[in-house]
């Protein structure tokens, strides 16, 4: 059986392990964490595999056929370069790095080696994307309004922008990535402003990051978008991660990992057209005639994302991977341009 290894046995590592336990055609051969007790805990849960504190030892001894890299954002670079050198197909969690030059260098080396590599943008595997893409193909989208507001994640590295990249780069990158994926066009320019000062040291020791930011994005096809994101919400008073795509005579609300709702004008032709191309529950308002079509998320997209990479590594055919490494690097560079803009106070070009 082919051997899978995992580096970084923390929160997201556990999420992937739950998926691996459903894959009966693989040997879960090695788990690595600098805190070796975590790796031992994973091996125990898997009921197989060895624990390591150093990935080089794991590579030398286990000789994995594929690896999942699930370390914090600042821990990238050496692991990937060694993995590429050894020609091991890898899946790496987003964001692939916090440094633009490092991101480009790693992408170039993966390409040069022709290695199968993917990143953890699992939202790309959600079934709601079929409805969203159908809508975008059939309607001229002019603008997008998007947001994500929640609380502060538990992991200590998240609270410092130097170690997390900030919320837009670490978390809201899922939506920034989906904007690229759904619109099928690249961003051109971003202008981002950040706000701080509402969350203090007393409330959250070690907190040195933005409480919120708002970004104006122009895409290469002249579509404009805004993305507001914040981690200030207390007691679960979060917003849904919604992106509203506006066309002249229709609108699509895309709620990440949840649903797609399409609103069309009240005439029968529009309603009929919408109903025939988009699956889901249709509702027509009796008074206004406005037609609403809803598609709900009903697949385990995280599981699909992992399995797609595993299948690619097993077969050597990467064509089904929806978030290839080089493309994931572009989403990172997109969000890093936003950070540059927050710092410079000026609009910044997105440079890949
Ligand atoms: N795709 C998603 O939806 C999603 C969700 C959560 C986190 N993430 C991403 O996953 C990454 C990890 O996040 P997390 O929440 O699991 O963090 P975490 O802190 O819970 O876990 C990271 C683990 O990596 C280990 N580690 C660090 N450097 C290492 C090294 N050189 N070798 C071996 N182990 C090392 C740490 O000891 C820790 O156990 C982050 O980049 C985060 O953005 C993605």
């Amino acid at each position: 059986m082919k051997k899978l290894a995992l580096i970084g046995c923390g929160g997201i590592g556990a999420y992937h392990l739950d998926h691996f336990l459903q894959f009966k055609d693989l040997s879960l051969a090695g788990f690595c964490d600098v805190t070796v007790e975590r790796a031992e805990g994973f091996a125990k849960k898997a009921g197989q595999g060895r624990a390591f504190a150093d990935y080089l030892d794991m590579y030398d001894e286990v000789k994995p056929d594929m690896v999942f890299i699930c370390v914090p954002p600042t821990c990238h670079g050496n692991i990937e370069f060694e993995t590429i050198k050894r020609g091991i197909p890898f899946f790496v969690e987003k964001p692939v790095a916090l440094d633009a030059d490092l991101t480009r260098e790693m992408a170039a080396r993966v390409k040069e080696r022709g290695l199968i590599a993917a990143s953890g943008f699992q939202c790309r595997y959600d079934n709601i994307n079929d409805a969203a893409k159908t809508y975008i193909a059939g309607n001229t989208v002019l603008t997008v309004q998007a947001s994500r507001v929640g609380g502060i994640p538990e992991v200590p590295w998240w609270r410092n922008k130097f170690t997390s990249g900030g919320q837009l780069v670490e978390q809201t990158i899922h939506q920034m990535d989906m904007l690229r994926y759904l619109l099928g066009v690249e961003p051109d320019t971003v202008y981002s402003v950040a706000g701080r000062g509402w969350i203090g040291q007393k409330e959250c020791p070690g907190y040195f990051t933005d409480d919120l930011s708002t970004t104006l994005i122009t895409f290469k096809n002249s579509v404009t978008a805004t993305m507001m994101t914040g981690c200030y919400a207390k007691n679960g008073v979060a917003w849904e991660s919604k992106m509203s795509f506006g066309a002249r005579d229709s609108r699509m609300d895309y709620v990440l990992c949840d649903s797609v709702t399409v609103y069309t004008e009240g005439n029968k032709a529009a309603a009929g057209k919408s109903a025939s191309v988009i699956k889901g529950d249709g509702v027509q308002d009796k008074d206004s005639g406005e037609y609403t079509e809803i598609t709900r998320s009903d697949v385990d997209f995280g599981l699909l994302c992992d399995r797609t990479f595993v299948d690619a590594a097993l077969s050597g055919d990467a064509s089904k991977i929806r978030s290839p490494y080089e493309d994931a690097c572009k989403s990172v560079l997109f969000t890093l341009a936003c950070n540059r803009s927050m710092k410079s106070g000026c609009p910044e070009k997105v440079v890949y």
Side-chain angles (χ1 to χ4, degrees), residues 5-234:
L6 171 71
I7 305 172
C9 302
I12 198 68
Y15 171 80
H16 292 296
L17 177 59
D18 281 343
H19 297 155
F20 304 157
L21 293 174
Q22 299 174 52
F23 304 156
K24 304 297 179 202
D25 55 345
L26 285 173
S27 154
L28 308 183
F31 300 98
C32 169
D33 200 293
V34 285
T35 306
V36 74
E37 294 77 20
R38 292 189 185 165
E40 287 164 356
F42 273 44
K44 196 170 168 204
K45 185 167 179 192
Q48 56 181 307
R50 294 170 55 197
F52 296 86
D54 185 335
Y55 70 94
L56 290 172
D57 292 341
M58 181 171 77
Y59 281 179
D60 285 343
E61 293 182 35
V62 168
K63 299 193 170 37
D65 298 295
M66 65 190 81
V67 63
F68 277 66
I69 302 169
C70 302
V71 297
T74 46
C75 302
H76 296 285
N78 288 343
I79 299 176
E80 283 85 346
F81 291 134
E82 185 64 29
T83 306
I84 296 163
K85 198 171 91 189
R86 294 182 188 229
I88 306 168
F90 70 93
F91 178 106
V92 63
E93 269 306 337
K94 40 57 55 180
V96 301
L98 298 183
D99 180 89
D101 288 337
L102 174 61
T103 301
R104 291 187 193 102
E105 179 66 25
M106 292 189 296
R109 296 230 200 145
V110 166
K111 194 173 178 186
E112 198 178 275
R113 189 76 160 75
L115 196 63
I116 292 179
S119 189
F121 287 116
Q122 70 273 14
C123 305
R124 288 189 173 208
Y125 292 81
D126 200 334
N127 63 294
I128 61 174
N129 297 330
D130 297 340
K133 285 203 167 202
T134 302
Y135 172 79
I136 288 167
N139 295 270
T140 304
V141 171
L142 278 57
T143 191
V144 187
Q145 187 192 45
S147 61
R148 174 173 186 148
V149 176
I152 304 163
E154 288 295 315
V155 280
W157 53 261
W158 202 93
R159 300 162 180 212
N160 189 319
K161 194 167 180 175
F162 286 107
T163 47
S164 69
Q167 189 185 19
L168 196 67
V169 174
E170 198 282 336
Q171 208 173 46
T172 313
I173 192 169
H174 279 298
Q175 275 154 281
M176 301 294 268
D177 179 69
M178 287 309 296
L179 281 176
R180 292 183 51 242
Y181 184 62
L182 294 175
L183 290 171
V185 64
E186 296 299 341
D188 182 71
T189 306
V190 292
Y191 176 52
S192 300
V193 286
R196 285 190 187 207
W198 284 273
I199 302 167
Q201 290 303 307
K202 211 167 152 196
E203 178 186 333
C204 188
Y207 180 89
F208 296 103
T209 192
D210 309 315
D211 304 335
L212 59 102
S213 70
T214 298
T215 297
L216 171 64
I217 307 154
T218 57
F219 284 87
K220 290 195 189 292
N221 63 351
S222 300
V223 168
T224 55
T226 54
M227 172 65 75
M228 197 286 278
T229 191
C231 60
Y232 58 80
K234 288 206 279 190

Side-chain angles (χ1 to χ4, degrees), residues 37 90 103 150 172 194 230 233 265 276 279 293 299 317 319 326:
E37 294 77 20
F90 70 93
T103 301
T172 313
E265 60 181 334
S276 66
K279 285 188 201 157
E293 190 75 37
V299 293
D317 174 7
S319 61
E326 196 182 349

